[in-house]
Amino acid sequence: MPLGTLDRTAPPLFNQGPSALSKLIFFSALALFLMVADARFNIVQPVRQAVGAVLYPVQWLALKPVQAAAAGNRYLEDLQLAQDKEAAARKALALQSERASQADTLAQENARLRAMLELRQTTLTPGRAAEVLYDAADPYTRKLVIDQGLTHGIAAGSPVIDENGVLGQVTQVQPFTSEITLVIDRDLAIPVQNIRTGARSVAFGDASAHGGGLELRFMAANSDVQEGDVLTTSGVDGVYPPGLPVAKVDRIERRADSAFARIHCLPAAHVTAARYVLVLAPTGVQPPRPAPTDAVPGKKEKPGDKASETKPSLLDKSARPAKPAAKPATKPAATSPASTPPAAPQPATTQPAAAPSPAGQPAAADKKEARSR
């Protein structure tokens, strides 16, 4: 066979088409073009929306098993949590019921003891709820502004508390708003008392750079203060009612070169997250109850009370000095026998003299007749 008749082309089975390098260049250029066109002209956005709309049912069906498994797991966790909370609530309710019965008993016993000791009954301090509007604009103080003012009966100096303890004190009152200085302000001081030891002190706002707490100043280095001690209001200032939680001792620094200890405390109230507060009336401005007048009617209303039983003896003792004044009036009548004998026998002599007088009168007449003769 002559050589000119041979076909030198590759059979169709091995036809490779464009080379791999040419394909890489083409698709790279196409990708670059699409990216630039999408970034500048958003020409691919309709295509993307169409593809998303077509694939959404597929995605929804694919996510359903995962969501079902997650929902089942969450349901079981919530069920277990609800059961645990119910058990804890039942236990707390039982404890509260026991404490309530004990509190009623203690209240009755306290009332009896106060009546026996003639002590004035303590009264609840009236208060008014308020909402915090905003923080004060001064960056060097720690103050809040509430939505209650003079028109609502708020007075300057009123203590302010939240659900956890003392929050601060009203320092400025406007017609419709009031300004509260927080306990962590460096210009505020509160008389406090340690519940564990009963020792009194004064808590000042922490004036250091880190701030956010209170400080017990002028406490001796060897004073009986421990971390975790709870501080409450002592009530000696006539502003704060006694027994309100103020702070808890957090850190104590005792240094050899100082006679005083540095005691840092954390406030009991949420000074940085307060939303609703309660403004109390200062204890010093409440109208005092007259103790003597309250005590006497109380004793009259309770004749069985021991205090009321002892009160008549006191009244008798106070009335005894009047007896010497009455004795001089009776003594002269008893100590003047010289002047009374004529009067004393007078009833006895007049009665017998009246009896013989009829018989004695004729004798006297006969004597007269004899003398005349």
Side-chain angles (χ1 to χ4, degrees):
M1 178 179 292
L3 295 177
T5 60
L6 294 177
D7 188 5
R8 300 180 179 273
T9 61
L13 182 61
F14 300 98
N15 189 5
Q16 300 295 325
S19 63
L21 181 59
S22 61
K23 292 179 180 180
L24 176 63
I25 295 174
F26 173 77
F27 286 111
S28 299
L30 180 61
L32 183 61
F33 169 75
L34 292 177
M35 287 190 293
V36 174
D38 185 50
R40 291 297 185 93
F41 307 105
N42 293 329
I43 61 174
V44 190
Q45 185 66 22
V47 178
R48 186 183 296 110
Q49 293 178 355
V51 172
V54 172
L55 294 180
Y56 176 76
V58 180
Q59 295 176 354
W60 185 81
L61 292 175
L63 289 176
K64 279 302 176 183
V66 179
Q67 293 177 354
N73 187 18
R74 188 165 55 253
Y75 171 77
L76 295 177
E77 291 179 356
D78 293 344
L79 181 61
Q80 183 66 28
L81 182 61
Q83 292 177 352
D84 295 342
K85 286 185 177 181
E86 182 184 4
R90 290 183 179 276
K91 186 182 295 184
L93 182 60
L95 293 176
Q96 290 293 339
S97 300
E98 182 180 359
R99 291 179 181 177
S101 60
Q102 294 177 356
D104 294 339
T105 304
L106 292 176
Q108 295 175 1
E109 183 178 359
N110 190 18
R112 289 194 297 267
L113 292 176
R114 284 184 173 276
M116 291 175 59
L117 299 176
E118 300 181 3
L119 296 178
R120 183 176 64 89
Q121 295 292 337
T122 58
T123 57
L124 296 176
T125 305
R128 186 178 185 87
E131 183 179 1
V132 176
L133 296 178
Y134 54 86
D135 295 342
D138 189 358
Y140 300 101
T141 58
R142 308 301 295 273
K143 297 182 179 181
L144 299 175
V145 177
I146 59 176
D147 61 347
Q148 303 286 327
L150 286 174
T151 57
H152 305 91
I154 304 299
S158 301
V160 182
I161 64 174
D162 65 355
E163 66 274 11
N164 295 313
V166 177
L167 185 68
Q169 185 177 1
V170 177
T171 54
Q172 187 176 2
V173 183
Q174 301 294 337
F176 302 102
T177 60
S178 300
E179 189 177 70
I180 301 173
T181 300
L182 300 178
V183 293
I184 59 177
D185 189 87
R186 59 183 179 181
D187 295 330
L188 189 65
I190 301 178
V192 295
Q193 184 175 13
N194 193 328
I195 293 182
R196 184 178 60 85
T197 62
R200 293 192 180 96
S201 181
V202 180
F204 295 83
D206 193 355
S208 60
H210 51 275
L214 293 92
E215 182 182 0
L216 288 182
R217 300 179 185 174
F218 313 114
M219 293 291 292
N222 58 352
S223 58
D224 186 11
V225 181
Q226 300 178 4
E227 295 182 0
D229 287 352
V230 178
L231 306 177
T232 61
T233 53
S234 61
V236 298
D237 57 347
V239 176
Y240 296 91
L244 297 178
V246 177
K248 180 183 291 185
V249 177
D250 177 55
R251 186 175 65 256
I252 303 175
E253 298 179 5
R254 293 184 171 91
R255 296 179 295 182
D257 58 346
S258 177
F260 301 104
R262 185 179 179 86
I263 304 174
H264 184 266
C265 308
L266 295 177
H270 294 304
V271 292
T272 58
R275 184 61 179 172
Y276 297 96
V277 298
L278 185 66
V279 183
L280 305 179
T283 57
V285 300
Q286 292 179 356
R289 290 187 176 182
T293 56
D294 286 348
V296 173
K299 295 180 180 64
K300 289 182 179 180
E301 293 175 359
K302 299 179 180 179
D305 197 355
K306 294 184 179 180
S308 62
E309 294 174 1
T310 58
K311 194 64 178 179
S313 62
L314 298 177
L315 297 175
D316 294 341
K317 291 180 181 179
S318 61
R320 285 176 186 174
K323 291 182 179 179
K327 287 181 180 179
T330 57
K331 283 181 180 179
T335 56
S336 58
S339 58
T340 54
Q346 184 176 359
T349 55
T350 53
Q351 297 294 340
S357 59
Q361 286 179 358
D366 294 339
K367 290 180 181 180
K368 291 179 179 180
E369 293 178 357
R371 288 177 183 176
S372 63
R373 288 176 183 177

